Each structure stands twice: as structure tokens, then as C-alpha cells.
């Protein structure tokens, strides 16, 4: 009908030191992002964070970085990659966002 809600955000972080995720929460420190999946790679101290839904006008990657900076402040990290796929408008809609 005009809007395809497929989208989301993917951020991969590389930490200086090994880290442990809290198994009880999909987000560190209990700060939840809806529809979030975390995948830890022990080789290279990497973490892939995927948020399945895009939110119009919101930079989810910035929110992710703020949460992980607060939670792992003593374990510095760099962003290996980030991808944000927003809402798509179909030509049949007749308008633009």
C-alpha cells in the first residue's frame, strides 16, 4: 500500500578486551531496544547488534553507541561497520516522505 516497513539497523563493534554479555537481557544494563539481537564473536572481541525495525527520524545507531559506551566504559571499542535501512516508499504511493 505505499510503505514497506522492512528495514533496521546493524552495528558491529570491536572491543579492545574480551567482554561478557548479560545473558538475561538482550541489551546491556537493562536498557532495551525493541527487536534487538546480539551476536558475540569471541575471536577479535566483536559484537554484532541488529535492530530489526527502522524508526522514522531516529538514528538507532547513535542510541546503540550511547548504550554500549555507558555499559562498557572501561573497555573501549571502535565501530567496524554500521548500516541503517529506513522506510521505503513505493512509486505507487504518489508522495515522498
Amino acid at each position: 500500500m505505499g510503505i514497506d516497513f522492512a528495514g533496521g539497523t546493524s552495528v558491529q563493534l570491536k572491543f579492545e578486551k574480551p567482554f561478557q554479555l548479560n545473558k538475561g537481557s538482550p541489551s546491556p544494563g537493562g536498557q532495551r531496544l525493541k527487536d534487538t539481537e546480539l551476536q558475540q564473536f569471541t575471536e577479535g572481541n566483536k559484537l554484532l547488534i541488529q535492530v530489526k525495525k527502522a524508526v522514522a527520524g531516529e538514528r538507532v545507531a547513535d542510541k546503540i553507541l550511547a548504550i554500549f559506551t555507558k555499559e562498557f566504559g572501561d573497555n573501549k571499542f571502535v565501530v567496524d561497520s554500521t548500516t541503517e535501512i529506513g522506510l521505503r516508499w513505493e512509486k505507487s504511493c504518489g508522495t515522498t516522505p
Side-chain angles (χ1 to χ4, degrees), residues 89-91 93-97:
W89 288 79
E90 295 178 9
K91 290 182 181 183
C93 184
T95 61
T96 57

Side-chain angles (χ1 to χ4, degrees), residues 2-48:
I3 299 176
D4 178 0
F5 287 98
T9 301
S10 175
V11 177
Q12 184 168 304
L13 306 176
K14 180 177 179 171
F15 290 84
E16 287 182 353
K17 303 179 280 190
F19 60 93
Q20 186 67 33
L21 291 175
N22 179 357
K23 302 255 187 221
S25 175
S27 297
Q31 299 182 45
R32 291 183 168 268
L33 291 169
K34 290 184 180 182
D35 298 316
T36 302
E37 291 183 14
L38 302 178
Q39 185 174 0
Q40 184 175 1
F41 301 96
T42 53
E43 185 176 324
N45 301 324
K46 293 185 179 184
L47 178 66
L48 177 63

Side-chain angles (χ1 to χ4, degrees), residues 63-75:
K63 189 172 183 179
I64 291 170
L65 294 177
I67 290 170
F68 280 86
T69 297
K70 183 177 180 182
E71 182 69 17
F72 294 102
D74 62 334
N75 189 359

